[in-house]
């Protein structure tokens, strides 16, 4: 079955989405976060989850799409609030499912991706994912991915920045870590305008 469009009110907060979502959508998000917090051996899961859901994800989505989960980039295949590009979806699914297994929507997305050939088809498909599903795919990808430095994968680099982001009580340290995770893991070739947006919104979300 193709993905069914999930109708949600525009501009939901991440925290509301986590609390209100029902069924496997919310549990899959929780499961992948819990898995990696345990893997990183973080003691304060409450603080870490708060930073992820109330600071990091809202900031990234604002930078990427002005929090528009139906956004379609006119210059690339990027789509959704998290602005995933076509070639990143299957690797992200692989990383997510490696830790938490399959769900109905991940199976449907993988199947539908086999039929996608054009940028427009991909973008229309991706924006059918709910904000919760987009967040889950994003975090399953970023928390698992090996970050590269100067084009070379560096084992443990991502974990170092995640630990700094999720354990620091200093807002400036969290801002630095968020930027590094964003540049090394998600938007790996940011132009000047993207860098300006990324730094512009830091103070709003990381206080």
């Amino acid at each position: 079955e193709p993905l069914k469009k999930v109708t949600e009110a525009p501009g939901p907060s991440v925290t509301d989405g986590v609390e209100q979502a029902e069924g496997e959508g919310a549990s899959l998000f929780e499961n992948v976060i819990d898995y990696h917090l345990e893997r990183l051996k973080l003691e304060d899961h409450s603080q870490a989850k708060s930073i992820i859901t109330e600071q990091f994800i809202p900031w990234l989505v604002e930078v990427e799409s002005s929090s528009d989960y139906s956004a379609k980039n006119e210059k690339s295949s990027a789509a959704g609030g998290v602005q995933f590009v076509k070639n990143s979806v299957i690797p992200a699914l692989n990383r997510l499912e490696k830790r938490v297994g399959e769900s109905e929507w991940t199976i449907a997305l993988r199947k539908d991706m086999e039929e996608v050939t054009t940028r427009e088809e991909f973008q229309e498909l991706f924006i059918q994912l709910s904000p919760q599903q987009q967040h889950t795919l994003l975090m399953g990808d970023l928390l698992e991915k090996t970050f590269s430095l100067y084009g070379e994968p560096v084992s443990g680099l991502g974990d170092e920045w995640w630990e700094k982001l999720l354990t620091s009580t200093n807002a400036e340290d969290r801002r630095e870590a968020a930027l590094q995770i964003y540049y090394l893991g998600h938007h790996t070739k940011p132009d000047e305008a993207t860098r300006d947006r990324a730094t512009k919104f830091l103070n709003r979300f990381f206080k």
Side-chain angles (χ1 to χ4, degrees):
E1 292 291 323
L3 286 167
K4 296 180 179 179
K5 185 171 180 62
V6 179
T7 302
E8 298 192 30
S13 72
V14 177
T15 304
D16 287 344
V18 172
E19 292 176 349
Q20 294 175 6
E22 298 179 354
E24 65 180 343
S27 64
L28 199 64
F29 180 87
E30 292 286 344
N31 288 347
V32 74
I33 298 299
D34 285 337
Y35 172 86
H36 285 285
L37 296 184
E38 289 291 338
R39 180 181 66 77
L40 293 170
K41 297 181 173 59
L42 300 189
E43 295 182 0
D44 192 341
H45 285 203
S46 178
Q47 173 184 291
K49 288 182 179 181
S50 175
I51 291 171
I52 289 171
T53 60
E54 297 176 17
Q55 298 181 11
F56 181 75
I57 293 178
W59 166 74
L60 185 147
V61 173
E62 181 66 22
V63 173
E64 286 288 277
S65 66
S66 299
S67 302
D68 179 2
Y69 288 88
S70 61
K72 301 176 184 178
N73 194 302
E74 296 180 354
K75 298 180 180 179
S76 73
S77 63
V82 296
Q83 289 289 281
F84 258 82
V85 296
K86 180 176 179 289
N87 291 340
S88 296
V89 171
I90 296 302
L93 279 172
N94 291 341
R95 294 183 181 108
L96 174 65
E97 293 177 343
K98 177 182 180 180
R99 299 307 185 187
V100 294
E102 298 176 327
S103 67
E104 287 187 12
W105 72 265
T106 63
I107 293 171
L109 178 58
R110 187 182 294 275
K111 180 180 178 182
D112 288 346
M113 285 294 296
E114 296 176 356
E115 307 297 323
V116 167
T117 57
T118 67
R119 179 186 73 182
E120 292 77 13
E121 288 174 344
F122 166 71
Q123 290 177 327
E124 189 59 38
L125 171 66
F126 194 84
I127 66 172
Q128 293 181 54
L129 295 176
S130 69
Q132 180 72 59
Q133 291 165 340
Q134 293 184 33
H135 300 162
T136 303
L137 194 62
L138 172 75
M139 296 308 299
D141 185 53
L142 284 180
L143 285 164
E144 183 72 28
K145 182 182 291 184
T146 299
F147 291 177
S148 294
L149 194 61
Y150 306 115
E152 295 294 328
V154 180
S155 179
L157 179 61
D159 287 354
E160 290 179 13
W161 286 115
W162 278 115
E163 289 174 14
K164 186 170 185 177
L165 174 69
L166 300 178
T167 62
S168 178
T169 57
N170 184 291
E172 186 173 342
D173 287 344
R174 292 200 301 274
R175 293 179 195 125
E176 179 189 13
L179 282 174
Q180 291 298 327
I181 291 168
Y182 179 60
Y183 293 148
L184 297 174
H186 190 65
H187 202 132
T188 55
K189 296 181 180 180
D191 56 20
E192 184 176 352
T194 300
R195 288 182 176 274
D196 287 345
R197 283 181 61 81
T199 55
K200 173 184 177 181
F201 293 117
L202 279 173
N203 290 340
R204 180 194 300 179
F205 293 99
F206 296 93
K207 299 178 180 180

